[in-house]
Amino acid sequence: MTNTKLHIVKYSKLYFTVRWNNAFSKQFSVSSGVRQGSCLSPAIFNVFMNVFILELPKLSLGCHVCGMFLGCLLYADDIILLSPSVTGLQEMLDRCYEISCSASLQFNVHKCHCLVVGRTYKVKISPMVLGGQAIQWCENIKYLAVLF
């Protein structure tokens, strides 16, 4: 049997200052978390994001091509939900919100957009809702420097 040592990273010497415009906050210590840029950051983030990949297909909603679920596309910290119906999209958003609450994650609704593709792109549709906040419909969006 090998001896395994548990290494605990202490943040006792880690201090931050927040800059807002030209003003600086008082210095404060950070006692927990994962540093941005740490080799652990992507791995931990992927564990959280994997829940969306596993849970959304269980709804039997979203887009499917040749029997394969393509209703949830992820790139870095962006999630794209694809649904052939507005009601299906709202159910997917509701499930995403539930998952985010249980995983202590938050969506920034101000950075969320809905887009209609196809013949009905000019139809007036009520805003989608994520956690009680409205997501507006847009005529086009820019994603990864591509205009849709």
Side-chain angles (χ1 to χ4, degrees), residues 38-58:
S38 163
C39 61
L40 282 177
S41 295
I44 292 171
F45 180 76
N46 286 337
V47 168
F48 280 96
M49 295 307 288
N50 194 50
V51 178
F52 293 98
I53 296 169
L54 296 174
E55 290 297 317
L56 286 170
K58 292 178 183 177

Side-chain angles (χ1 to χ4, degrees), residues 49-123:
M49 295 307 288
N50 194 50
V51 178
F52 293 98
I53 296 169
L54 296 174
E55 290 297 317
L56 286 170
K58 292 178 183 177
L59 296 173
S60 297
L61 299 168
C63 291
H64 293 78
V65 176
C66 297
M68 187 166 74
F69 177 70
L70 293 177
C72 174
L73 307 174
L74 292 132
Y75 181 79
D77 62 347
D78 291 330
I79 300 176
I80 297 176
L81 300 178
L82 302 172
S83 176
S85 73
V86 175
T87 55
L89 179 59
Q90 184 58 64
E91 287 184 50
M92 292 172 74
L93 286 167
D94 292 342
R95 184 65 184 126
C96 283
Y97 183 71
E98 291 169 8
I99 293 167
S100 71
C101 289
S102 66
S104 298
L105 298 173
Q106 290 182 343
F107 285 101
N108 184 345
V109 178
H110 302 293
K111 291 184 176 181
C112 296
H113 310 284
C114 292
L115 179 72
V116 174
V117 178
R119 294 179 302 211
T120 59
Y121 76 96
K122 289 188 177 182
V123 173

Side-chain angles (χ1 to χ4, degrees), residues 8-16 28-34:
I8 298 173
V9 178
K10 293 189 178 185
Y11 288 92
S12 61
K13 295 181 182 177
L14 189 60
Y15 293 91
F16 282 98
F28 58 94
S29 67
V30 176
S31 58
S32 65
V34 177

